[in-house]
Amino acid sequence: MALDIDGTLTGVGSNDISPAVKAAITRVTDHGVKVVLSTGRSLVGVTPIAAQLPVSFALCSNGAVWWDPATREIPKRTTFDPGPAVEKLRALLPGSVFAVERTGVGNLSLGRFLPGDLWGETVDATFDEIAATPTPRLVLRWLDRTPAELAFAVKDLHLPGVEWTTDHTEAWLTVVPADVTKGSALHDLSGELGIDPRDALAIGDGSNDVEMLRWAGHGVAMGQAPAHVQAVADEVCPTVLDDGAAQVLDRFFPA
């Protein structure tokens, strides 16, 4: 079972998981199901969530960083050169701030993000320092703009050699290496574990969850997910505020 975090298990940017969701996920593991966190968060942002749940594996940074909670090891980490993307996005979206992930530590930041935006230690950096730092994840916030304004501004954007998605709740854009998505990472991980995707359940709410929902035998979109995310799902459940994920799990894995 693959679970997004923000907007699925928690509110966006929160580490608070409701008792109903915790209980439902624990019951899933009682049925012998492996629970995989599949998230756009960096590893530093995933660890406080994994500490609260019986998680078998975590795919962080939209699948660019794999983490085994049992061994605390990172068996796979895919990076890219962020310089060309930052240069192009800075010209297209003036007033944006950027950060590149330093896995397990924090971020190098070009500009000041809003409080709570970034996980871990954040160090101010120059463009040259960021451009010289291979990273699994580059994030951008377009300050004082809306998600709709960002989506319109990047509708024709082409960034060679990377994958990118925007957020539907914030003017936020995430860039990861080419051919890395939640869906591709789950495809590779399920192959290693000998799990048929047709037997998998996935729940998510964002644009970065589309490939994951398509990968799973049964994909569930949260009730507050954008229309294009709901369109690829097999089912739409209640919102995160209504513990929609718990309601789905209670039905599939009853007590």
Side-chain angles (χ1 to χ4, degrees):
M1 181 176 70
L3 299 172
D4 173 49
I5 295 177
D6 295 284
T8 299
L9 303 184
T10 72
V12 175
S14 171
N15 289 330
D16 296 329
I17 308 171
S18 76
V21 171
K22 285 183 182 179
I25 294 173
T26 299
R27 189 168 57 254
V28 167
T29 61
D30 292 340
H31 283 257
V33 175
K34 293 184 181 298
V35 175
V36 176
L37 296 177
S38 180
T39 176
R41 288 192 185 197
S42 66
L43 174 56
V44 177
V46 170
T47 51
I49 299 298
Q52 302 177 61
L53 299 171
V55 175
S56 297
F57 214 84
L59 300 173
C60 316
S61 303
N62 284 345
V65 176
W66 295 25
W67 182 60
D68 185 338
T71 64
R72 315 293 289 186
E73 294 180 349
I74 301 171
K76 185 174 182 179
R77 180 176 180 268
T78 308
T79 64
F80 69 101
D81 171 9
V86 174
E87 187 170 19
K88 189 166 187 176
L89 289 166
R90 190 161 59 162
L92 179 65
L93 306 170
S96 296
V97 292
F98 299 84
V100 293
E101 173 187 328
R102 296 186 297 154
T103 303
V105 178
N107 306 271
L108 293 180
S109 174
L110 180 62
R112 293 298 177 92
F113 280 76
L114 301 183
D117 271 351
L118 301 175
W119 304 98
E121 177 188 15
T122 299
V123 176
D124 292 338
T126 65
F127 170 80
D128 288 342
E129 289 170 330
I130 282 183
T133 304
T135 185
R137 174 179 176 264
L138 164 71
V139 294
L140 168 157
R141 177 183 278 281
W142 202 10
L143 295 172
D144 301 319
R145 299 296 186 120
T146 67
E149 287 175 315
L150 176 60
F152 181 79
V154 301
K155 62 183 177 63
D156 297 319
L157 176 65
H158 177 59
L159 293 176
V162 297
E163 306 288 340
W164 60 271
T165 55
T166 57
D167 190 82
H168 64 281
T169 63
E170 304 281 353
W172 185 274
L173 186 145
T174 301
V175 183
V176 297
D179 302 320
V180 172
T181 67
K182 291 186 180 185
S184 69
L186 285 162
H187 174 272
D188 293 346
L189 179 62
S190 62
E192 292 187 12
L193 298 176
I195 295 172
D196 190 329
R198 291 174 295 183
D199 297 328
L201 171 69
I203 310 177
D205 78 307
S207 295
N208 61 340
D209 293 313
V210 167
E211 290 81 4
M212 176 178 77
L213 299 180
R214 287 175 172 156
W215 163 83
H218 192 81
V220 181
M222 300 298 292
Q224 80 281 355
H228 72 278
V229 178
Q230 294 189 13
V232 304
D234 299 295
E235 174 186 350
V236 177
C237 71
T239 70
V240 65
L241 295 178
D242 297 316
D243 289 334
Q247 294 188 43
V248 171
L249 299 181
D250 287 346
R251 191 177 80 248
F252 276 91
F253 305 98

